[in-house]
Amino acid sequence: MTNSFLKISNLKKSYHDANKDILIFDGINIALDKNNLVSIVGPSGSGKSTLLHILALLEKADQGQLFLNNEDLFKINENSKTLYRRNKISIVYQFNNLISDLTAIDNVTLPALINNIDKNSAYIKAKKLLSDLSLANRLNHYPTELSGGEQQRVAIARALINEPNLILADEPTGNLDHKTADEVFNILLNIKSKDRLIIFATHNRELAKKSDIQLAIQNSNVKILN
Ligand SMILES: Nc1ncnc2c1ncn2[C@@H]1O[C@H](COP(=O)(O)OP(=O)(O)O)[C@@H](O)[C@H]1O
Ligand SMILES: [Mg+2]
């Protein structure tokens, strides 16, 4: 067993195309603790999104184990996986997937309502999260009425509302200008905690360098850069 919050053992993954297999991970091993902001760099197509999707239980590995708090998440049933995705693991995307006909506060509240939090508490919590991310005066704006950086902050608030222990972000700054990318990165840095691990994929070497742990995907393996 392990003491790390998150542990990946001998994880293998290939995609199968009509003519050939594409090897993505050839038995990777990673151990990470909470209170870290972890970056993943790697060329386009190296498997960054695949790794995050496997960690989010949205994609299956071919082989290997994924432990979160010593529980093997590849072994649990679909109901338990759904509960993990609702409560413990959140994902933030490059194109933030906000629901376009819901306001900022309704987007943030939605995962809490799905999680059976009462409406009043959910709204209070969403308002606090958005205010903490300097969006107190954007609560009733629709996504199209927000800048890219503001949309991404709403997506982060939405990812936070159920207080997950693991936040995964797939190129969360990929679509933002330099200054806004820095701001979003600083938010990620601020929301790591003793109860939370954050892993983000990025092409931005500058930001990767400022993370606590830098991982790189190379030749179907993951190595630690620092
Ligand atoms: N569902 C899929 N079916 C087949 N190949 C896929 C699938 N998803 C991703 N791939 C391939 O796997 C490789 C890794 O993809 P991805 O994880 O998206 O890389 P990255 O995020 O690092 O750019 C790419 O070559 C991609 O084309
Ligand atoms: Mg990707």
Side-chain angles (χ1 to χ4, degrees), residues 13 33-34 45 48 51 97 112 122 175 193 204:
K13 174 75 181 174
D33 290 316
K34 291 181 198 171
K48 300 180 296 296
L51 182 59
N97 284 3
N175 197 33
S193 74
N204 187 326

Side-chain angles (χ1 to χ4, degrees), residues 15-17 22 24-25 42-51 53 59 170-171 201 203 217:
Y15 285 115
H16 311 285
D17 151 316
I22 309 168
I24 311 291
F25 299 123
S44 194
S46 60
K48 300 180 296 296
S49 297
T50 302
L51 182 59
H53 290 157
E59 178 98 51
D170 197 355
E171 303 198 32
H203 279 291
I217 303 180

Side-chain angles (χ1 to χ4, degrees), residues 5 20 31 39 43 63 65 73 103 106-107 130 134-135 146 149 162 176 189 208 213 220:
F5 168 62
K20 58 176 185 347
S39 60
Q63 210 178 299
Q65 293 164 304
L73 298 196
T103 59
D106 284 337
N107 266 285
L130 287 165
S134 311
L135 290 168
L146 298 169
N162 288 330
L176 304 175
L189 209 49
I213 300 172
S220 311

Side-chain angles (χ1 to χ4, degrees), residues 130-139 146 150-151 153-154:
L130 287 165
S131 304
D132 287 349
L133 296 176
S134 311
L135 290 168
N137 55 0
R138 297 286 189 280
L139 302 183
L146 298 169
E150 288 168 345
Q151 289 180 30
R153 280 184 273 152
V154 174

Side-chain angles (χ1 to χ4, degrees), residues 102-146:
L102 293 183
T103 59
I105 193 156
D106 284 337
N107 266 285
V108 176
T109 308
L110 190 61
L113 298 179
I114 291 170
N115 212 11
N116 293 319
I117 308 287
D118 77 86
K119 211 170 167 180
N120 202 29
S121 313
Y123 273 87
I124 290 170
K125 208 166 171 185
K127 193 172 171 184
K128 163 114 182 39
L129 282 168
L130 287 165
S131 304
D132 287 349
L133 296 176
S134 311
L135 290 168
N137 55 0
R138 297 286 189 280
L139 302 183
N140 296 312
H141 286 228
Y142 288 90
T144 52
E145 299 168 343
L146 298 169

